[in-house]
Amino acid sequence: VVDTTPPVFENSTPSASSVAQTSFTLNTDIDGAGTIYYVVVSDGATAPTASEVKAGTASGGASAITHGNAAVSTGGFTNDFNVAGLTANMAYDVYVVAQDDVSTPNLQAAVTKIDVTTTAQIVITEIMYNSPESGVDTAEFIEFYNAGSTPVNMVGYSIQSAVVYTFGNVTINAGDYYVLTTNLVSFTATYGSSADAQWTSGDLSNGGEVIEL
């Protein structure tokens, strides 16, 4: 009897876990011995074929952002790929395919796609929308933190919801904070320390709102 049936992914895989700024874990599990292949391409790129994923390329033979494969022959036929070298706060399409290990391997006809978005390097760590000074809230602030391992130049970044501010040629080093406030003088008087900059206009709502960088 000739085996003509390709393997099947199991246990809700392929899936992504431990998503970080420049990496994630690609979890895979098939129902028998074989080889698992993957490619990572830009979000919205044309889907590669199964043969292209096996070859480690994007659609049409173009270069993938990254790719890999692993043979699984024992145990539960699982493999967790460490997919690295990505860009923070970026969406990617990940295509995965598997084939068995018979003498004439059976490759899955259709690829499986999962969506992965890496985490941001610059994150908002604190929002003071109802500052403690008496009267009008003049010491509101938003605190940003560089959670990555490299400096980030903020030129061109802006906030257009809630408050209005466009960053100039400012670099936030790894592990450092940057604080925007309603009023620099009121901030120092209220908290006894200095903020980095004052936003252009607007106020933070006490009722909740979206703040997007």
Side-chain angles (χ1 to χ4, degrees):
V1 177
V2 178
D3 181 1
T4 59
T5 304
V8 175
F9 284 109
E10 297 183 312
N11 298 316
S12 301
T13 71
S15 62
S17 63
S18 302
V19 180
Q21 293 163 16
T22 60
S23 65
F24 69 94
T25 298
L26 174 61
N27 309 293
T28 59
D29 180 358
I30 55 178
D31 63 350
T35 304
I36 302 166
Y37 306 86
Y38 76 88
V39 298
V40 178
V41 298
S42 300
D43 180 44
T46 301
T49 65
S51 295
E52 288 170 335
V53 173
K54 180 178 177 179
T57 70
S59 177
S63 296
I65 293 170
T66 189
H67 62 91
N69 64 82
V72 292
S73 58
T74 60
F77 309 113
T78 65
N79 190 77
D80 293 337
F81 295 93
N82 178 31
V83 183
L86 306 178
T87 300
N89 196 30
M90 188 70 66
Y92 296 96
D93 293 340
V94 184
Y95 291 95
V96 191
V97 73
Q99 72 176 24
D100 58 22
D101 68 348
V102 299
S103 56
T104 302
N106 297 293
L107 179 69
Q108 292 175 333
V111 297
T112 300
K113 175 194 172 191
I114 63 171
D115 299 310
V116 175
T117 300
T118 53
T119 59
Q121 185 166 341
I122 301 297
V123 295
I124 295 174
T125 49
E126 187 173 357
I127 299 170
M128 175 56 71
Y129 59 86
N130 189 13
S131 48
E133 83 283 12
S134 60
V136 179
D137 290 338
T138 57
E140 297 176 337
F141 67 86
I142 304 171
E143 180 185 78
F144 300 89
Y145 175 66
N146 183 348
S149 58
T150 57
V152 174
N153 188 289
M154 300 295 291
V155 65
Y157 282 83
S158 65
I159 304 171
Q160 299 297 331
S161 57
V163 301
V164 175
Y165 182 77
T166 298
F167 286 84
N169 188 22
V170 172
T171 296
I172 305 178
N173 291 320
D176 280 357
Y177 295 87
Y178 191 91
V179 177
L180 289 180
T181 185
T182 312
N183 184 285
L184 290 168
V185 174
S186 294
F187 184 95
T188 300
T190 303
Y191 305 111
S193 59
S194 298
D196 294 287
Q198 181 175 308
W199 57 65
T200 306
S201 63
D203 296 293
L204 298 176
S205 170
N206 291 357
E209 60 195 330
V210 175
I211 300 175
E212 184 175 359
L213 179 65

